[in-house]
Amino acid sequence: MDVVIGIDSGTTATKGVAAGLDGELHAHASVHYPLLVPGPGRAELDADRVRDAAVEALVDVAGQCRAAGHRVVGVSLSSFLHALVPMDADSKPLGPLVTWADGRAGGQSAAIADQGLAKKLLARTGTPVHPMAPLSKLAWWGATDPETLRDTPRWGGGKELILSGLADEAYLLDLSLASATGLYDIHARRWDPEALEIAGVREDQLAEVVPTTRRLRLKAEVASAAGLPADTPLIIGAGDGPLANLGVGATPAGVAAVSLGTSGAMRTVVDQPSSDEAGRLFCYALTEDRWVVGGAVNNAGSVVRWAGQAFAAGFARPAAEGENADEIDAALLIEAQSAPPGSDGLLCLPYLLGERAPWWRAGMRGAFLGLGREHGRPHLVRSAVEGVCQQVALVRDSFDAAGFPVTEVRATGGAVASDLWVGVLAAALDLPVAIADTPEGTGLGACLLGWHALGSLPDLDQAAGLVDIGAPTVPDAANAELYRRQRPLIEEAALFVAHLSEQLTTPVAAPDDRKSGAVPG
């Protein structure tokens, strides 16, 4: 069977899969690496390890395909968004890869917003002004180490780094990753002059932007190590968020993908770059004529994991020897089902890691509101799940307000293994929620984009028929009405808490973090 290999570089692992034109997966590999937190506000990866992991995953999956008698007709790439790494003139990293979760650029993001530029930049670039974005990260570098910013030959992200290990090509970046930098005008299709000025970089320090379907060449040594023909096409691919929509078949109009893992997101596909005048939603490319509009939330499964750490001491059921955090999370969620919908009036603002959509307030802090003696651990955990799902519903409300109505939801991620999560999500969205039967939606999306680039999948909407979807969970009408009534209260309380948070905290920019390991080229 002919297959395309998809390489999905994520923030904790690089995964490889192989899929036929029918969407069926035939091989899987995973290469893990740690997220590094060397100081307050920092979230980095070893750049060399991320680059090498892509090669290792490719070699592993190609070997599995060869052993099974499958013919690899292409390799297609996915990468996490919003990363930044300094590189020399040969695209070798000069320091760690700074991830989306790094918060050091909070002060720069706030300054851009204070100047009244945030909505204008979002309208042109599709990327909200936020510490996650390379725009703000580069501005931080300019404020703390201007010589390195000026003298570094190349500034790239995850995709440029991966290509430096796999591709025998010039310095390139796909349209999808470019559209998530905050530096690229998605309407004029060029690096945005004002954004470059704010960031303090020159256009010659950034990669040439090409379509997500661009075919490249594998390095000879990589093709040899993987046992692939030297002329095997390498498709540059796209970002992980847009590809996740493709991988669960959420490409037709009105169909949204919701991912609930450590963090979460809701995305839908439109036919042209679109701006949300209220500044709540991002717009990133999947291909030149398919764009993903959506919003990401920082806090999802991580909130239940925190609850397990904070509330599981003295757990009513004795923890079995060797019981891991996943098992404790699952037990807490089962216990939380004993609390009623609405958690007896307890509201959770789940902003343990700040928040992105729909407000893009990096300094937001969490809170429980309405806490009384009648509330126990089940209420606390259930209200945390409800708080996350209500945040996703606020993103959905932003879709409606911006003219992107959603009628169907396909959900993925570790959280949707829980009946509680799925039931609350369906009620909060007031939509049926179907679970996509694929654990590797992003990798499959990369494979399907590869088939599209090779001309074998001309219409990306065909992906909707290739992905197995379970029977949808229908929202409980009474619960949906309860959550609808609560949502304005949550939004009002959240913005009030955000104001308090800004008074209590300041952006992290420690003097000893100035260079983050970068060396001028």
Side-chain angles (χ1 to χ4, degrees):
M1 172 181 285
D2 287 351
V3 298
V4 168
I5 292 177
I7 301 298
D8 173 26
S9 296
T11 51
T12 58
T14 292
K15 299 179 180 180
V17 298
L21 186 55
D22 59 359
E24 184 177 352
L25 296 180
H26 296 281
H28 174 271
S30 188
V31 181
H32 292 267
Y33 33 77
L35 180 67
L36 307 175
V37 186
R42 296 173 64 166
E44 304 170 349
L45 294 171
D46 183 320
D48 291 317
R49 186 72 192 107
V50 173
R51 180 197 58 212
D52 295 345
V55 178
E56 293 173 29
L58 172 60
V59 170
D60 191 340
V61 173
Q64 294 178 46
C65 293
R66 189 165 55 252
H70 302 313
R71 183 171 73 112
V72 177
V73 298
V75 177
S76 183
L77 304 179
S78 167
S79 172
F80 46 78
L81 305 174
H82 312 307
L84 184 69
V85 61
M87 309 170 86
D88 68 15
D90 296 319
S91 295
K92 293 180 181 178
L94 297 173
L97 184 71
V98 182
T99 73
W100 68 268
D102 194 282
R104 281 171 284 176
Q108 285 67 40
S109 297
I112 294 170
D114 289 345
Q115 295 171 44
L117 299 174
K119 287 188 178 179
K120 295 178 181 178
L121 287 168
L122 172 58
R124 293 200 306 271
T125 69
T127 303
V129 173
H130 187 272
M132 69 178 186
L135 166 66
S136 299
K137 289 179 169 69
L138 287 164
W140 177 87
W141 234 295
T144 58
D145 191 0
E147 291 183 1
T148 292
L149 181 68
R150 182 193 65 225
D151 296 338
T152 297
R154 293 177 174 179
W155 287 97
K159 185 62 68 70
E160 297 96 320
L161 181 66
I162 297 159
L163 287 174
S164 72
L166 292 175
D168 187 18
E169 292 286 331
Y171 187 39
L172 300 174
L173 178 62
D174 65 78
L175 176 64
S176 182
L177 268 293
S179 67
T181 60
L183 301 166
Y184 189 79
D185 187 327
I186 60 177
H187 306 283
R189 305 292 174 89
R190 63 172 185 172
W191 293 113
D192 185 84
E194 184 179 25
L196 296 186
E197 182 178 358
I198 293 169
V201 293
R202 307 179 306 274
E203 188 170 343
D204 64 79
Q205 292 175 287
L206 304 175
E208 176 189 353
V209 178
V210 299
T212 60
T213 53
R214 172 67 68 89
R215 299 192 200 186
L216 309 175
R217 297 186 304 273
L218 283 170
K219 286 186 174 181
E221 61 269 28
V222 172
S224 176
L228 298 175
D231 60 352
T232 302
L234 174 65
I235 313 304
I236 193 169
D240 56 0
L243 286 173
N245 270 62
L246 182 58
V248 299
T251 54
V255 181
V258 170
S259 59
L260 285 177
T262 302
S263 57
M266 186 173 190
R267 302 172 299 268
T268 193
V269 175
V270 297
D271 292 335
Q272 59 187 1
S274 302
S275 300
D276 171 23
E277 293 183 0
R280 295 160 296 191
L281 303 173
F282 59 65
C283 182
Y284 305 145
L286 175 57
T287 64
E288 290 188 295
D289 56 3
R290 305 304 295 274
W291 295 74
V292 172
V293 172
V297 299
N298 279 4
N299 309 272
S302 59
V303 183
V304 171
R305 178 59 49 87
W306 166 81
Q309 296 168 344
F311 306 144
F315 203 50
R317 175 184 55 77
E321 184 177 354
E323 183 176 45
N324 62 31
D326 289 339
E327 293 169 333
I328 293 175
D329 291 352
L332 284 172
L333 290 168
I334 291 172
E335 184 186 65
Q337 290 178 336
S338 65
S343 303
D344 283 331
L346 182 64
L347 296 180
C348 175
L349 307 181
Y351 314 125
L352 304 182
L353 299 171
E355 192 51 284
R356 285 182 282 175
W359 307 304
W360 306 97
R361 306 284 285 267
M364 290 186 77
R365 306 286 283 183
F368 285 99
L369 302 177
L371 189 63
R373 290 188 63 182
E374 69 274 19
H375 296 125
R377 185 168 58 208
H379 297 88
L380 291 164
V381 175
R382 183 183 182 106
S383 68
V385 171
E386 291 175 333
V388 171
C389 293
Q390 289 280 48
Q391 195 67 24
V392 177
L394 285 166
V395 175
R396 182 265 171 95
D397 292 346
S398 299
F399 279 31
D400 290 342
F404 306 117
V406 173
T407 57
E408 180 184 342
V409 171
R410 296 187 173 192
T412 60
V416 298
S418 161
D419 291 341
L420 177 63
W421 272 107
V422 177
V424 173
L425 179 65
L429 296 176
D430 198 11
L431 288 170
V433 173
I435 308 303
D437 187 22
T438 173
E440 303 297 346
T442 303
L444 175 58
C447 294
L448 295 176
L449 183 62
W451 281 115
H452 177 66
L454 295 173
S456 299
L457 189 70
D459 184 357
L460 290 180
D461 285 348
Q462 291 176 260
L466 300 177
V467 181
D468 291 332
I469 300 294
T473 296
V474 178
D476 179 278
N479 294 349
E481 174 61 19
L482 169 64
Y483 294 143
R484 185 193 64 77
R485 293 199 313 268
Q486 284 183 342
R487 209 143 49 242
L489 302 176
I490 290 173
E491 184 167 16
E492 183 177 357
L495 294 177
F496 176 71
V497 170
H499 175 72
L500 290 181
S501 300
E502 289 166 359
Q503 308 304 310
L504 296 171
T505 61
T506 56
V508 176
D512 59 344
D513 290 344
R514 289 167 61 91
K515 295 192 177 183
S516 191
V519 179

